[in-house]
Amino acid sequence: MTDHGTVSRRGLFRAGGIGLAAIAFGPALAACSRTEDTVTLDSLRKQGYIQVAINNEAPFGYIDENGEVTGSSPELLRAIFAELGVPEVRAESVAWDGLIPGLKAKRFDAVAAGMYITPERCAEVAFAEPTYRVLQAFLVPAGNPHGLTTFDDIAANPDVTVAVLNASVEQGYAKGAGVPEAQIETVDNQTSAYELLSNGRVDAVALSTISLNWLLNQRGGDFEVTEGFIPVVDGEEVTPAGGLAFRQSDTELLAEVNRVLADFKASGRLLEILEPFGFTEQELPGDLTTEQLCQA
């Protein structure tokens, strides 16, 4: 596994919860930042931490073998809030379809799960400027026996089934390409998708190239990652790019995050943070903006 030893962490413990695993950095959990109508940077500084959600999808945001929360999104968020004077990050691992509802319900203050920025999600939450852009791919048995290259190939073959995260963009990409519901298996997390493929219950797992290459490297198996592709939904190409998500009411907090993020992009620190998780300069967002993605 990639060495993340340069990132400072302290005071880890697990806290139980219904349908989630909680990882905390520091003293016992409190909820003062999430009971107010608006979370401000000042309130987080006084509180001393920010509460976030991940989905346990490597390398975007996951719990490693030591029980520590890491990944490209949590590490980026840690670095940003360290600059903003908030020393601790506390994280919950939440099923993918619970991330946005939990954020809106004030269970946490941000989503650090590598969430793609889409018009539908922009209607519900506020995204910081994008931090990466990737291609889509499939994890398939070695040799790619069904010759899968895009979701169109799955739609054209009624014998092929694909695993996707529930409420994920991949689920939307599959439906947008005409893949019938009966050929789509929804799961809560990346590990469950891998297990379905490993057990022969699906023919492919659909995620980003970054996620699938990391998954194959860590879990192994007689599988391969197909060549990355740009998904097409209803005849239109879409841009898989993502970032940190906040509540729409937390405008001041979002502005401060974007200010630091702009500095990170200009200085090269963004790539420095993302590189240990398999990202290269090719996956940086360039001039792509959240406004463009929200209006796509």
Side-chain angles (χ1 to χ4, degrees):
M1 174 164 291
T2 305
D3 180 12
H4 309 310
T6 58
V7 180
S8 175
R9 305 180 184 88
R10 55 193 177 87
L12 286 166
F13 66 90
R14 292 187 183 276
I18 299 175
L20 58 88
I23 308 297
F25 299 80
L29 293 175
C32 59
S33 74
R34 294 176 298 285
T35 57
E36 301 168 356
D37 289 338
T38 302
V39 174
T40 65
L41 183 56
D42 184 58
S43 69
L44 293 178
R45 285 170 175 162
K46 290 177 181 177
Q47 179 174 273
Y49 69 88
I50 180 170
Q51 180 82 29
V52 306
I54 65 169
N55 176 247
N56 206 21
E57 178 190 351
F60 291 105
Y62 62 101
I63 302 168
D64 69 14
E65 68 272 16
N66 298 315
E68 298 180 354
V69 172
T70 187
S72 56
S73 293
E75 300 299 1
L76 176 59
L77 186 136
R78 280 192 185 100
I80 290 172
F81 278 88
E83 292 285 333
L84 293 173
V86 181
E88 297 179 13
V89 173
R90 300 181 180 184
E92 297 178 3
S93 180
V94 179
W96 189 265
D97 58 357
L99 291 172
I100 287 179
L103 179 62
K104 294 175 70 175
K106 303 180 183 178
R107 278 180 51 195
F108 28 83
D109 307 311
V111 173
M115 182 175 282
Y116 286 7
I117 302 169
T118 68
E120 295 79 12
R121 290 172 177 166
C122 291
E124 297 193 73
V125 299
F127 285 95
E129 290 302 320
T131 55
Y132 73 92
R133 62 191 305 169
V134 290
L135 296 175
Q136 294 300 125
F138 302 115
L139 183 66
V140 296
N144 193 7
H146 292 289
L148 304 181
T149 59
T150 70
F151 286 103
D152 290 337
D153 297 322
I154 299 176
N157 189 338
D159 295 327
V160 173
T161 54
V162 60
V164 299
L165 299 182
N166 193 26
S168 67
V169 292
E170 287 83 12
Q171 185 176 14
Y173 296 159
K175 291 180 178 179
V179 179
E181 292 275 3
Q183 292 176 241
I184 303 172
E185 292 286 342
T186 58
V187 296
D188 287 339
N189 54 57
Q190 179 189 57
T191 300
S192 297
Y194 177 87
E195 294 300 332
L196 286 180
L197 180 65
S198 183
N199 294 331
R201 293 175 58 189
V202 297
D203 301 294
V205 173
L207 285 169
S208 69
T209 51
I210 289 287
S211 289
L212 292 178
N213 283 317
W214 185 280
L215 182 61
L216 183 58
N217 182 57
Q218 298 302 309
R219 297 295 298 269
D222 195 20
F223 305 117
E224 67 180 67
V225 177
T226 64
E227 186 174 348
F229 63 91
I230 297 173
V232 175
V233 176
D234 298 328
E236 297 289 335
E237 288 188 349
V238 297
T239 303
L244 303 168
F246 300 84
R247 280 185 293 276
Q248 291 180 339
S249 59
D250 297 338
T251 54
E252 177 194 333
L253 185 64
L254 181 63
E256 287 297 308
V257 168
N258 278 332
R259 179 180 62 80
V260 176
L261 186 55
D263 290 342
F264 281 8
K265 290 180 178 181
S267 68
R269 193 172 178 198
L270 174 61
L271 181 57
E272 178 184 315
I273 293 168
L274 299 185
E275 273 185 323
F277 302 99
F279 291 80
T280 67
E281 191 167 355
Q282 181 177 341
E283 281 81 43
L284 294 183
D287 295 331
L288 190 65
T289 68
T290 293
E291 183 177 7
Q292 290 172 330
L293 293 168
C294 286
Q295 295 178 353

